[in-house]
Amino acid sequence: MKIAILGAGESGVGAALLAQAKGLDVFVSDMGQIKVEYKAKLATAAIPFEEGTHTLTNILDANEIVKSPGIPDKAPVIQEAAKRQIPVISEIEFAGRYTDAKFICITGTNGKTTTTLLTYHLLKSAGLNVGLAGNIGESLAEKVIDNKHDYYVVELSSFQLDNMYQFKAHIAVLLNITPDHLDRYGYSMENYAASKLRVAQNMTGSDYFIYNADDQNIRKTFNSAAFGGTTIPFSLEGAVGAKVYFEGSTIKLDINFFEGKVDASKSSLIGKHNQYNTMAAAAVAKLLQVSDETIAQALETFQNADHRLQLVGVAKDVSYINDSKATNVEAVWYALEGIKQPIIWIAGGVDKGNDYSTLEELAREKVKVLICLGKDNKKLERSFNKVVPIIAETDSIEYAVRMAKLLAVPGDVVLLSPACASFDLFNNYEHRGQRFKEAVDKIVLKK
């Protein structure tokens, strides 16, 4: 059987290595330049590959194509494959064929990386034999080669879900659905929501779908009556039928035969959005019979990924928080809502058609200074010039940090939470967050 792999990043190279391990005839093609580390992996495995082009004769000779998630369906090579009725699948779909491990799959517009890492941490802390993979930056296909785990916690983007057909999660988590990547979905929220709900496809009565009952787009799109698995809604707003909810700082769980009360008072995660993330992760752990005490202890020891409401440091009772991953308005709303102190807010970048009106009330209540960081800050300034007392602008992260330090008083929080993409001044959100941390270290913490 011939397999063509399109894209030679983490996903594509993992799929290629798995295909080779299973004795398939594999060819890798990337229209861009392949990173050195991935090229070395392919060369070491003697897997044929090309970069900077797609040789259609080699690709369309395959029985099946494994497509990296970043490649849209409108790409010419995918269109040509469709004409010839060559199946196009995702790396996750491909990997799922080669393991009997159970999948815990997590998606949502916001919060999926935090929830994936937290779920993995809870299960690992309980001694379960669990692996971590997916959109988190680790190829599920490559992990399946050795197939060492009983469970895999898998973060899934909508792009990964789009080309999954037979794959089935044992436990699926849907955190929220808010507008994002709509250019890939015909600018249709209905299409985007349908993509997210694919996380729960193929489920049967022994499988569990954990979802946010407070999210209006989930409520509108998810048909619980037609669903084949067991539903576990969670809520902070008293949704009818919620099985997981907060009472004070305690998470209450009433999941079939699994009941629990988990003390979340010592969790390192802040904000309402992280309460949702924590409920979802705790529900997964409870389904896998992790004790309340173990969950509570693991919540206390959890360290989130970089650039997600990450405390960089404290100086003169001013906290500096890196939330560079907040590239849309919804994510920033959660950040502003979760911080109780006065805020000096650093925002801006490449606007993705943002509607900032939902942030006005929180900004009026909490933000004392807005520092616009970008090449074009006009829209941010117009949106908040009657809401925030002081607005400044710059295209220098160092200048933004110096200004924040100058204007901050004890008890303030300096928050980088951009609401925008980073590509005007930085390579990506990680680069932006790293530059912020470096500036705080040098200018504020004097490291």
Side-chain angles (χ1 to χ4, degrees):
M1 182 175 177
K2 293 183 178 180
I3 298 287
I5 311 289
L6 297 183
E10 179 71 18
S11 170
V13 171
L17 293 171
L18 175 60
Q20 184 191 61
K22 298 304 176 182
L24 305 177
D25 183 358
V26 59
F27 174 71
V28 178
S29 178
D30 196 312
M31 185 60 84
Q33 296 301 303
I34 302 173
K35 289 184 178 179
V36 173
E37 60 267 33
Y38 294 129
K39 200 181 295 188
K41 275 190 171 185
L42 293 170
T44 300
I47 295 173
F49 66 89
E50 64 179 358
E51 59 182 337
T53 188
H54 285 322
T55 303
L56 292 183
T57 52
N58 290 340
I59 295 167
L60 300 175
D61 188 42
N63 302 102
E64 193 168 47
I65 293 172
V66 179
K67 178 177 79 67
S68 293
I71 301 172
D73 287 340
K74 64 184 178 183
V77 64
I78 302 300
Q79 293 289 308
E80 193 60 38
K83 286 180 189 175
R84 303 191 186 200
Q85 298 185 317
I86 301 170
V88 178
I89 63 170
S90 72
E91 172 237 342
I92 304 295
E93 174 82 6
F94 185 60
R97 299 171 180 174
Y98 296 103
T99 179
D100 291 326
K102 291 185 175 180
F103 296 112
I104 299 148
C105 296
I106 297 166
T107 195
T109 307
N110 296 301
K112 55 185 176 291
T113 296
T114 296
T115 306
T116 299
L117 290 172
L118 179 57
T119 301
Y120 175 73
H121 179 69
L122 297 185
L123 302 184
K124 193 80 173 173
S125 298
L128 275 68
N129 179 19
V130 59
L132 179 68
N135 197 53
I136 199 85
E138 299 189 38
S139 165
L140 178 63
E142 189 167 356
K143 289 181 181 293
V144 162
I145 295 171
D146 293 332
N147 202 21
K148 295 178 179 177
H149 301 292
D150 299 324
Y151 301 94
Y152 288 98
V153 180
V154 186
E155 178 187 333
L156 293 174
S157 69
S158 58
F159 298 167
Q160 288 169 312
L161 287 161
D162 286 338
N163 293 101
M164 287 166 47
Y165 304 101
Q166 303 304 316
F167 182 93
K168 178 176 80 72
H170 173 51
I171 301 173
V173 175
L174 180 54
L175 297 165
N176 45 62
I177 303 174
T178 58
D180 203 14
H181 304 301
L182 294 187
D183 55 324
R184 280 277 290 258
Y185 297 96
Y187 296 94
S188 164
M189 268 301 292
E190 184 177 343
N191 292 345
Y192 176 59
S195 175
K196 284 296 187 187
L197 278 163
R198 290 172 71 91
V199 74
Q201 68 184 2
N202 304 320
M203 291 182 126
T204 62
S206 60
D207 303 315
Y208 300 92
F209 181 39
I210 301 167
Y211 69 94
N212 183 350
D214 296 338
D215 187 283
Q216 62 178 350
N217 286 314
I218 296 176
R219 289 199 306 268
K220 187 189 303 181
T221 313
F222 176 54
N223 182 358
S224 58
F227 179 63
T230 301
T231 56
I232 301 173
F234 59 91
S235 172
L236 287 176
E237 299 176 2
V240 175
K243 301 294 185 183
V244 187
Y245 51 94
F246 264 90
E247 280 190 2
S249 60
T250 299
I251 303 171
K252 295 285 190 73
L253 304 102
D254 182 12
I255 304 171
N256 294 358
F257 302 109
F258 305 105
E259 294 186 357
K261 294 181 181 180
V262 175
D263 179 7
S265 62
K266 296 182 179 178
S267 171
S268 60
L269 296 171
I270 64 172
K272 184 177 180 180
H273 67 305
N274 276 321
Q275 287 185 299
Y276 283 112
N277 298 339
T278 303
M279 284 191 290
V284 173
K286 206 66 196 168
L287 285 171
L288 298 181
Q289 301 184 47
V290 179
S291 72
D292 297 348
E293 295 75 17
T294 298
I295 296 172
Q297 290 167 7
L299 288 177
E300 186 176 355
T301 58
F302 175 66
Q303 293 185 341
N304 202 1
D306 288 348
H307 317 298
R308 293 162 176 83
L309 283 173
Q310 176 189 32
L311 180 64
V312 175
V314 180
K316 297 183 179 178
D317 199 27
V318 176
S319 299
Y320 292 79
I321 293 178
N322 168 24
D323 193 35
S324 183
K325 180 64 170 66
T327 59
N328 57 47
V329 169
E330 184 84 2
V332 175
W333 188 95
Y334 282 125
L336 295 179
E337 185 276 336
I339 295 171
K340 306 308 178 188
Q341 304 97 310
I343 298 169
I344 296 174
W345 176 28
I346 302 173
V350 179
D351 185 279
K352 298 186 289 185
N354 291 346
D355 176 3
Y356 294 109
S357 62
T358 57
L359 301 178
E360 287 182 8
E361 185 178 343
L362 282 170
R364 183 177 286 108
E365 176 189 344
K366 297 186 176 186
V367 177
K368 55 188 283 187
V369 179
L370 169 60
I371 301 173
C372 303
L373 175 64
K375 287 188 175 180
D376 183 359
N377 301 307
K378 294 184 183 67
K379 185 175 178 181
L380 261 179
E381 291 179 23
R382 284 198 307 268
S383 298
F384 294 99
N385 63 5
K386 295 181 181 178
V387 177
V388 178
I390 300 173
I391 296 180
E393 67 169 324
T394 181
D395 60 3
S396 164
I397 192 78
E398 291 81 9
Y399 183 86
V401 170
R402 288 185 190 280
M403 182 175 294
K405 178 187 177 186
L406 180 67
L407 295 174
V409 299
D412 285 352
V413 169
V414 175
L415 171 69
L416 171 68
S417 193
C420 298
S422 57
F423 305 120
D424 57 341
L425 298 175
F426 308 97
N427 299 335
N428 47 43
Y429 77 82
E430 291 102 330
H431 182 218
R432 175 171 57 193
Q434 185 58 39
R435 288 286 308 280
F436 176 71
K437 290 166 66 178
E438 289 168 358
V440 171
D441 284 347
K442 178 182 176 182
I443 296 166
V444 179
L445 305 178
K446 306 293 185 182
K447 289 185 178 179

